[in-house]
């Protein structure tokens, strides 16, 4: 044994085998990297006395100060950075049950305001954070940048389609697959050891056989030495294999118990969450029924209209999720509380012609020196009367009825809480046979309001029509709870109504993630409209909020008046149980960048306990000096009226401590009224007359036009099963194009060349001269290509 030990300790062949075996990785001997960095101080954001989490680390934790609102200012919150997501809690204990908000870093922009501040923005969500010191701020920025880069790589490696992604359960198994791969590697190590044992065992047998045939003592000594060496090698190899087997079994048992505990915990949490949400939904419905049946909650309409103090979002960004029910907002200075009182027309009669057909009231109730409303309404009614006499193309008035497919929306949506709307996998059963580009074009349904506005000589009067037009775009959404198709990258939609209504419209999907569409409209009657809209969403289980991001531009050719505004938030309620319904809430500020006139419109959210009219919209039109000229009132689903202000005075102080303004106005005039829906609209997705024609087949359009999309066409025909199959084919085709584009980007990077990525075909990104924003604007060429029928530059997306 002494000789054997000597061979084991100093033999070259033995040392080589030991080195070979030691080179094989052993999971039991490997130390896992640090998974978190604990805070180092009360106000700190990183670990004490050390750098932020290492590049390989997945989690970074610490305290930061987060801006909530102007009343509370910065509040101390516990932040956790994990898997490309930054979440925050009021306390560390809340990590077990309540997350106050999460932002995805893969699409977020990281900025630093000063030595201690960090600004994170992602679509409609913005976090303003403050570290305790510049050093800790730098630690967080480093950790955030590393997490963002890793999140982008992970997102690029995942499958990407026209709005769908693989279920979350697939990504949850990634760690399991990695461990199983490591265990498979261990099995290969055991197989290698087994081969070595067999090899050395055979050599030992040969040596023993040779020993038996020896006769000379000298040769016998050498052979015995060889036998001992081989026996030692055999014993070392056997021990190594046994140790590897033991490590393998211990590791498998440990991880097996861990996986069982984790899966059981996740399963219990999932069940508990579903039960809680269902219970809340039942309570919600019970409360709704009780409120509707309670006496004294409804009141008759009066001649006095009052509005509460306008609530707007803090200038520091989006409202905190943690204060969703009790958040305090700052009132807009230009949107004060006011009360309107109809003045006696006898005491305010002025010279000028009487209005004809301007409203449902008496024509003598409103006589103005600036009688643009008279001329505009008179001409518009004459035009509407003559429209029927003009020859125009016959459009379809119906589409196939919607099939009666039963599908549980909650069974799909419950797996998508917290995700973006564009990332929720849904079949066509929840869609309507229109794309988002066509829905964007529906904003032009009441384009005649802009034709009337062209005739206005006063910018404040013109503002009234523009404000009515901005509200009219929501009238089509009151019954439209279905989801439009997400356009494919490069998809276009044209609406050529130049001969019928005097305008041409073109939309193009210019970005896929985040989804963005560019829109350009030219009217030969004297106006141009353009916009780039990006959709952000927030799914809370009980409701779904859709937040259009982007600016709408409207310019009148003759006057040069340039109006700019943004859309409000749309919310779909009763996602879990009950009938789906949509509400609009928020504020629109329309600014004329030439005359500096403004219009503040407030969309009041629906409340069970409010005495206001549902879907109420109110606003004031004021000039550059802040003097109010008109009061806007109405509902976004029915009509908008305009009242001329003849006198204003300060009234009583409101409950919020702000003094109300009392406006004496003349009788209101109806500027816009919703068209009635076509017959059988409830079986045709509640489409309006214009919406019924948007997907009508038309010749000579571009090959990328939404009308040519096969899955959308199959769905409109009622062949939903075939439409789902075709939808999957288009999504896989788009994923293949994305992978090819990523490969080209990698190749260009390796060669040291710049890669521009996807370039829109008919639009180009420029800095807007009025607002200074970067926006996609129409660069021309589409209508010329249509005249020539030269579509050689169009990509093959269908």
């Amino acid at each position: 044994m002494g000789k054997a030990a000597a061979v084991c300790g100093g033999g070259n062949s033995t040392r080589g085998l030991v080195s070979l075996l030691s080179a094989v990785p052993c999971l039991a001997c490997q130390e896992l990297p640090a998974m978190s960095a604990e805070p180092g101080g009360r106000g700190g954001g990183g670990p004490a006395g050390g750098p932020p989490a290492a590049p390989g680390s997945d989690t970074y934790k610490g305290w930061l100060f987060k801006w909530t609102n102007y009343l509370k200012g910065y509040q101390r919150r516990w932040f956790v950075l994990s898997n490309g997501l930054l979440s925050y809690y009021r306390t560390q204990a809340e990590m077990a049950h309540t997350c106050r908000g999460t932002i995805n870093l893969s699409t977020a922009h990281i900025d630093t305001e000063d030595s201690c501040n960090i600004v994170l923005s992602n679509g409609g969500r913005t976090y303003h954070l403050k570290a305790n010191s510049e050093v800790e701020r730098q630690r967080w920025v480093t950790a955030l940048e590393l997490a963002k880069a890793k999140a982008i790589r992970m997102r690029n490696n995942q499958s990407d389609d026209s709005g769908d992604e693989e279920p979350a359960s697939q990504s949850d198994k990634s760690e399991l697959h990695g461990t199983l791969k490591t265990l498979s590697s261990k099995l290969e190590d055991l197989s290698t050891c087994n081969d070595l044992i067999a090899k050395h065992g055979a050599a030992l047998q040969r040596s023993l056989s040779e020993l038996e045939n020896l006769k000379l003592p000298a040769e016998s000594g050498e052979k015995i030495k060889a036998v001992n060496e081989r026996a030692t090698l055999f014993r070392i190899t056997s021990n190594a294999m046994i140790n590897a087997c033991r490590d393998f079994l211990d590791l498998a048992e440990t991880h097996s118990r861990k996986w069982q505990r984790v899966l059981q915990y996740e399963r219990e949490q999932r069940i508990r969450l579903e039960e809680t949400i269902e219970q809340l939904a039942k309570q919600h419905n019970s409360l709704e029924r009780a409120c509707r049946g309670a006496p004294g909650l409804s009141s008759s309409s009066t001649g006095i209209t009052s509005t509460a103090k306008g609530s707007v979002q803090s200038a520091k960004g989006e409202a905190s999720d943690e204060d969703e029910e009790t958040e305090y907002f700052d009132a807009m200075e230009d949107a004060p509380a006011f009360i309107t009182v109809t003045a006696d027309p006898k005491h305010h009669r002025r010279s000028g012609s009487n209005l004809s057909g301007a409203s449902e009231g008496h024509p003598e109730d409103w006589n103005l020196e600036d009688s643009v409303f008279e001329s505009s309404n008179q001409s518009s009614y004459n035009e509407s009367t003559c429209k029927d006499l003009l020859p125009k193309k016959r459009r379809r008035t119906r589409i196939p009825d919607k099939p009666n497919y039963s599908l549980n929306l909650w069974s799909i949506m419950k797996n998508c809480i917290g995700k973006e709307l564009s990332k929720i996998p849904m079949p066509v059963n929840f869609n309507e046979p229109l794309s988002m580009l066509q829905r964007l074009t529906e904003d032009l349904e009441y384009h005649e309001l802009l034709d009337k506005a062209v005739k206005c000589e006063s910018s404040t009067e013109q503002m009234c029509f523009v404000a009515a037009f901005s509200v009219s775009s929501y009238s089509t959404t009151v019954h439209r709870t279905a989801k439009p198709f997400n356009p494919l990258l490069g998809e276009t939609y044209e609406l050529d109504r130049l001969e019928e209504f005097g305008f041409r419209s073109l939309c193009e999907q210019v970005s896929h993630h985040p989804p963005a569409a560019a829109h350009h409209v030219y009217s030969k009657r004297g106006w141009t409209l353009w916009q780039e809209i990006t959709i952000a969403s927030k799914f809370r289980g009980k409701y779904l909020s859709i937040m259009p991001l982007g600016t709408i531009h409207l310019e009148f050719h003759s006057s040069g008046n340039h109006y700019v505004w943004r859309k409000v938030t749309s919310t779909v309620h009763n996602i879990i149980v009950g009938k789906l319904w949509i509400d609009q809430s928020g504020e629109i500020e329309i600014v004329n960048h030439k005359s500096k006139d403004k219009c503040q419109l407030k969309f009041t959210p629906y409340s069970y306990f409010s005495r206001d009219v549902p879907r109420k919209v109110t606003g004031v039109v004021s000039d550059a000096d802040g003097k109010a000229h008109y009061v806007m009132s109405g509902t976004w689903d029915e009509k908008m009226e305009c009242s001329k202000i003849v006198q204003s005075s300060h009234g009583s102080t409101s409950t919020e401590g702000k003094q109300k303004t009392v406006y004496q106005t003349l009788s209101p005039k109806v500027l816009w009224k919703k068209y009635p829906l076509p017959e059988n609209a409830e079986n045709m997705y509640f489409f309006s007359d214009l919406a019924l024609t948007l997907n009508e087949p038309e010749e000579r359009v571009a090959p990328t036009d939404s009308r040519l999309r096969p899955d959308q066409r199959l769905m409109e025909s009622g062949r939903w099963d075939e439409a789902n199959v075709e939808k999957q084919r288009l999504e896989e085709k788009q994923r293949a194009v994305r992978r090819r584009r990523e490969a080209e980007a990698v190749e260009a990077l390796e060669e040291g060349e710049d890669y521009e990525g996807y370039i829109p075909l008919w639009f180009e990104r420029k800095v807007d001269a009025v607002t200074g924003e970067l926006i996609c604007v129409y660069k021309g060429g589409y209508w010329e290509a249509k005249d020539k029928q030269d579509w050689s530059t169009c990509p093959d997306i269908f």
Side-chain angles (χ1 to χ4, degrees), residues 140-424:
W140 272 102
V141 171
T142 303
L144 291 171
E145 292 289 355
L146 292 174
K148 177 180 178 181
K150 184 176 181 180
I152 293 175
R153 290 196 301 268
M154 293 176 61
R155 184 188 65 183
N156 293 337
N157 292 334
Q158 293 175 353
S159 60
D160 196 0
D161 50 35
S162 66
D164 300 341
E165 66 174 8
E166 294 186 3
S169 58
Q170 297 297 326
S171 60
D172 293 340
K173 296 179 181 179
S174 59
E175 183 180 359
L176 175 61
H177 293 326
T179 306
L180 290 177
K181 184 177 180 181
T182 305
L183 294 178
S184 299
S185 176
K186 266 294 182 183
L187 284 176
E188 294 179 0
D189 296 343
L190 293 176
S191 178
T192 302
C193 291
N194 185 47
D195 294 340
L196 290 173
I197 289 174
K199 177 181 177 181
H200 293 309
L204 182 59
Q205 292 296 330
R206 288 195 302 270
S207 298
L208 292 176
S209 299
E210 294 175 358
L211 183 60
E212 292 178 355
N213 297 328
L214 290 178
K215 297 180 180 179
L216 297 176
E219 294 180 0
S220 177
E222 294 294 333
K223 292 298 180 180
I224 291 174
K225 181 179 180 181
V227 170
N228 288 332
E229 290 179 353
R230 294 185 183 278
T232 302
L233 292 174
F234 181 81
R235 185 165 54 256
I236 293 173
T237 306
S238 301
N239 291 335
M241 187 191 72
I242 293 173
N243 291 334
C245 290
R246 185 182 298 108
D247 294 340
F248 176 81
L249 291 176
D250 292 342
L251 182 63
E253 291 178 358
T254 302
H255 281 276
S256 177
R257 291 191 297 270
K258 176 183 176 182
W259 296 332
Q260 290 176 1
R261 289 194 302 270
V262 171
L263 291 176
Q264 181 63 25
Y265 175 78
E266 293 296 333
R267 189 180 297 111
E268 293 175 355
Q269 290 292 98
R270 187 72 163 271
I271 294 174
R272 188 178 298 108
L273 177 61
E274 292 181 11
E275 292 176 350
T276 302
I277 293 178
E278 291 178 3
Q279 184 178 2
L280 289 175
K282 293 177 182 179
Q283 295 175 357
H284 166 80
N285 287 341
S286 300
L287 180 61
E288 180 178 358
R289 289 192 297 269
C291 292
R292 288 177 177 174
L297 290 180
S298 60
S299 60
S300 58
S301 58
T302 63
I304 299 178
T305 303
S306 63
T307 63
K309 180 181 71 172
S311 63
V312 298
Q313 222 165 4
S314 167
K316 280 287 186 179
E318 186 185 86
S320 300
D321 298 333
E322 59 184 279
D323 299 320
E324 199 167 53
E325 301 297 332
T326 59
E327 186 74 27
Y328 293 89
F329 297 107
D330 303 290
M332 297 183 67
E333 296 179 0
D334 296 330
F338 64 89
I339 298 176
T340 60
V341 179
T342 303
D344 187 356
K346 295 181 181 179
H347 295 87
H348 298 279
R349 187 178 299 277
R350 302 182 182 181
S351 60
S353 303
N354 292 341
L355 283 173
S356 176
S359 70
E360 298 173 356
H362 299 288
E364 67 271 16
D365 287 350
W366 194 8
N367 301 311
L368 304 174
E369 292 178 348
D370 47 350
S371 56
V372 64
F373 292 99
E374 174 188 358
S375 60
S376 299
N377 283 277
Q378 183 67 49
S379 61
S380 65
Y381 275 80
N382 293 337
E383 288 174 6
S384 63
T385 305
C386 299
K387 277 181 182 178
D388 297 333
L389 303 177
L390 296 175
K392 57 183 180 181
K393 182 177 179 180
R394 186 178 182 85
R395 303 287 179 181
R396 67 180 184 180
T397 58
R398 67 172 295 107
I399 59 174
D401 288 353
K402 178 181 178 181
N404 187 17
Y405 279 82
S406 60
L407 194 62
N408 185 6
L409 177 62
W410 174 241
S411 65
I412 295 177
M413 300 291 283
K414 68 182 180 181
N415 297 322
C416 310
I417 296 177
K419 290 188 178 180
E420 291 287 332
L421 176 63
S422 60
K423 293 177 179 286
I424 296 179

Side-chain angles (χ1 to χ4, degrees), residues 603-623:
F603 289 66
T604 304
Y606 177 76
S607 173
Y608 299 125
F609 307 101
S610 175
R611 296 176 181 265
D612 286 335
V613 178
R615 308 180 184 96
K616 180 181 178 181
V617 181
T618 55
V620 177
V621 176
S622 56
D623 58 21

